[in-house]
Amino acid sequence: MNRTRHHFLRDDNLSPEEYAQVLELALHFKDDLFYRRTFAGPRSVAVIFDKNSTRTRASFAAGVTQLGGYPLMVESTTSQLSRGESICDTARVLERMVETIVWRTFQQADVLEMAKHSSKPVINALTDEFHPCQVLADLATLAYVNSKKSGQEFKNNKQKVAGIRGKTLVYLGDGANNMAHSYLLGCATAGVSVRIVCPKSYSPNLQIVQDAEEIAQKTGAQVIVTDDVNAGVEGADVVATDAWLSMGMDKSEESERTDEFRRFQITEELIAQADEAAVFMHCLPAYRGKEVLEGVIDGPQSVVFEEAEFRLHAQKALMDYLYTQTTCKV
């Protein structure tokens, strides 16, 4: 496990036990938006944006507010970060004014640097290397949907979360992007088997694969990286994808990447090879006709908007958990 104090910078910063607790709490927040008022006061949470955002911005702003706090939304272009103030100095200022720092940025090294100098929890709201809040939300969605579809009787949220252990999630597309990396670590941590199906030239970072395999040995999950589309999808409980051209990439790459990824497109015929109760996930924004066909994303197996909603519940659970852990240690 990659422990980094009380921060959430990549998916394996939480142990499997801690990860399950956050997922359980997310389901509580799904049932009751005001289940806890963690930041009542109101206490403030800084949410910093270096990249464009819809779901991250809305879910953190609403989430902090529902927790009784004040979301301090900061555009990096209008902060002193854009004028060269160090991350170290920014962290040392913010930790005196807010209870948590959330940052959506480019380099993973930057959120690591922020966390290094902050006594308050730092949350990675997306970097080029990881998107851990999204995968936390995806797995909470899976627990929720599975509890509705499975036909089993779950007495509590702990059982609902336990119910996803042994499930299989397959991700198709760019295996080297932040979603693939976070699926590897997050699924392994949750005990969910993960298959990354991608062109060999777009394979995940080998060290991240090895980290996921090490976690999976403890949780009973399976980690597979393959370019075999049909074998990868067969029998899966979740079929997921992402845009072929990630945010910030040069548009000149689009034609080449489209050629590479075309056979990894999610079609009705492809998803039919998954389990009959399988669901389709996409972190959004989606580009219909490219990585996924309209008939899939707008079809009965799609849970993309439930998934988007769970960004709110999962992030509230995460903020509550990290804040509680921090204050209990003081």
Side-chain angles (χ1 to χ4, degrees), residues 251-290:
K251 287 283 286 183
S252 64
E253 297 181 46
E254 186 169 13
S255 177
E256 177 184 341
R257 293 172 73 87
T258 297
D259 290 340
E260 284 275 7
F261 294 130
R262 196 180 306 278
R263 70 185 181 94
F264 299 89
Q265 183 184 64
I266 313 299
T267 64
E268 290 95 330
E269 293 75 20
L270 183 64
I271 202 169
Q273 297 179 41
D275 185 87
E276 63 180 4
V279 296
F280 171 72
M281 291 188 179
H282 192 307
C283 62
L284 303 179
Y287 300 92
R288 289 162 173 79
K290 293 188 176 180

Side-chain angles (χ1 to χ4, degrees), residues 21-31 136 140 310 313-315 317:
Q21 288 177 47
V22 174
L23 291 176
E24 291 165 28
L25 187 53
L27 294 176
H28 281 299
F29 279 119
K30 166 64 176 174
D31 294 334
L136 191 68
F310 263 97
H313 309 315
Q315 288 161 187

Side-chain angles (χ1 to χ4, degrees), residues 57-232:
R57 186 183 302 272
S59 57
F60 271 109
V64 172
T65 303
Q66 290 170 12
L67 289 171
Y70 175 77
L72 181 63
M73 313 301 282
V74 180
E75 302 294 337
S76 63
T77 54
T78 58
S79 76
Q80 298 297 346
L81 279 168
S82 67
R83 299 182 64 244
E85 183 168 26
S86 70
I87 295 172
C88 171
D89 286 357
T90 301
R92 293 173 69 182
V93 168
L94 289 177
E95 70 174 358
R96 288 162 169 79
M97 301 179 182
V98 303
E99 304 305 327
T100 298
I101 301 169
V102 179
W103 197 4
R104 181 180 175 93
T105 189
F106 295 89
Q107 301 299 320
Q108 181 72 11
D110 288 348
V111 294
L112 290 169
E113 181 72 6
M114 183 76 80
K116 178 181 176 182
H117 299 287
S118 174
S119 62
K120 301 294 177 63
V122 175
I123 294 174
N124 175 1
L126 176 144
T127 62
D128 290 343
E129 195 168 346
F130 299 104
H131 199 354
C133 288
Q134 179 65 59
V135 170
L136 191 68
D138 289 0
L139 293 172
T141 305
L142 177 58
Y144 177 75
V145 170
N146 181 62
S147 71
K148 301 293 184 184
K149 286 190 169 188
S150 68
Q152 300 179 46
E153 185 174 338
F154 296 93
K155 295 181 179 179
N156 52 48
N157 289 328
K158 187 179 184 69
Q159 289 185 356
K160 291 177 184 178
V161 170
I164 69 174
R165 295 179 68 90
K167 297 293 184 182
T168 297
L169 181 148
V170 56
Y171 165 86
L172 297 95
D174 185 353
N177 76 2
N178 52 13
M179 283 303 300
H181 290 159
S182 276
Y183 274 133
L184 282 164
L185 297 177
C187 287
T189 301
V192 173
S193 291
V194 56
R195 304 173 191 163
I196 303 299
V197 184
C198 61
K200 291 180 179 178
S201 54
Y202 290 89
S203 294
N205 179 288
L206 181 58
Q207 183 59 59
I208 295 171
V209 175
Q210 291 173 348
D211 290 345
E213 290 173 338
E214 184 177 336
I215 297 167
Q217 288 176 4
K218 301 173 183 176
T219 63
Q222 186 180 43
V223 173
I224 293 175
V225 178
T226 180
D227 66 343
D228 188 330
V229 175
N230 293 325

